[in-house]
Amino acid sequence: MTDHPESANHGSTQAPSTVWTGRATNHFQWLLALAGAGCMALGIELAVASPWSSGLTPLLMSVIGCLAVGLLILFGTLAFVHVAVKVDGDALEVRCGHAGLPRRRILLDHVVGAEYVPRINPRQWGGWGYRWRPEQGTAVVVRKGEGMALRLGDGRTFTVTVDDAETAVRFVRERLHLTGRAERDRD
């Protein structure tokens, strides 16, 4: 899944890769999604099998409440079961979940530095998901573990959990160096 630029055999006709891809997965999120599906099933069961003898208003509140909670849990957790990161010559793109939403694209022209972060803990960011903390910046956190942090030209920071983050950081740094050299060559 990951294309490493240094993986091209020396002397071969294979050119170094211009794209790096990686991902991180949180299997625990599937349990939370299962809980959301259970809430939805309970709401449907109440709507279909209820004798309606307790009154219409309490029944509707129960059904709507179970369905709403179930949908929120189900889609909220499925959006952050995994994250896919792609770095090409122009940008870093982060896509969350199976639908690829939320999505973030950062042009490498706006990146001034990249750092490997060996331990990212969801508690540092207030939980899993797409997070913003004034003192830390923005992050996509789907699990505990390694990740990378990008320093942007406007002073903000963007952090993402991804497997093989050291290689991702090295790849971004190489792209930043090439971009800077290309601009100097034009001058």
Side-chain angles (χ1 to χ4, degrees):
M1 175 119 183
T2 304
D3 298 324
H4 302 284
E6 61 271 3
S7 66
N9 294 335
H10 187 54
S12 73
T13 58
Q14 181 183 6
S17 176
T18 58
V19 176
W20 182 91
T21 59
R23 62 187 296 137
T25 303
N26 184 344
H27 298 291
F28 180 71
Q29 293 282 76
W30 286 108
L31 295 174
L32 295 174
L34 188 62
C39 286
M40 287 182 52
L42 178 62
I44 292 170
E45 175 69 21
L46 285 173
V48 172
S50 179
W52 296 81
S53 61
S54 61
L56 182 61
T57 303
L59 178 65
L60 282 176
M61 289 174 58
S62 298
V63 169
I64 292 170
C66 285
L67 291 175
V69 167
L71 283 171
L72 283 172
I73 292 173
L74 184 64
F75 290 113
T77 57
L78 287 180
F80 295 101
V81 168
H82 67 84
V83 63
V85 178
K86 176 182 171 186
V87 182
D88 58 22
D90 299 327
L92 174 130
E93 184 174 71
V94 176
R95 293 179 176 211
C96 301
H98 297 291
L101 297 172
R103 178 181 308 177
R104 175 88 189 255
R105 182 173 167 87
I106 300 172
L107 295 175
L108 292 181
D109 290 342
H110 298 150
V111 177
V112 295
E115 296 177 28
Y116 171 71
V117 183
R119 299 198 60 158
I120 295 174
N121 192 326
R123 280 187 268 155
Q124 294 170 306
W125 291 93
W128 292 313
Y130 198 99
R131 300 294 183 184
W132 175 75
R133 307 267 319 239
E135 68 280 3
Q136 291 177 287
T138 308
V140 176
V141 180
V142 296
R143 53 122 173 98
K144 183 184 342 181
E146 68 178 323
M148 69 176 179
L150 300 177
R151 286 186 324 262
L152 306 178
D154 59 4
R156 295 183 293 169
T157 303
F158 180 76
T159 305
V160 61
T161 54
V162 64
D163 295 333
D164 197 18
E166 279 185 284
T167 305
V169 167
R170 193 168 37 248
F171 192 84
V172 168
R173 287 178 178 168
E174 288 173 6
R175 293 299 157 280
L176 294 177
H177 180 69
L178 291 175
T179 303
R181 187 172 358 120
E183 287 175 5
R184 283 192 303 269
D185 291 344
R186 275 187 268 163
D187 293 336

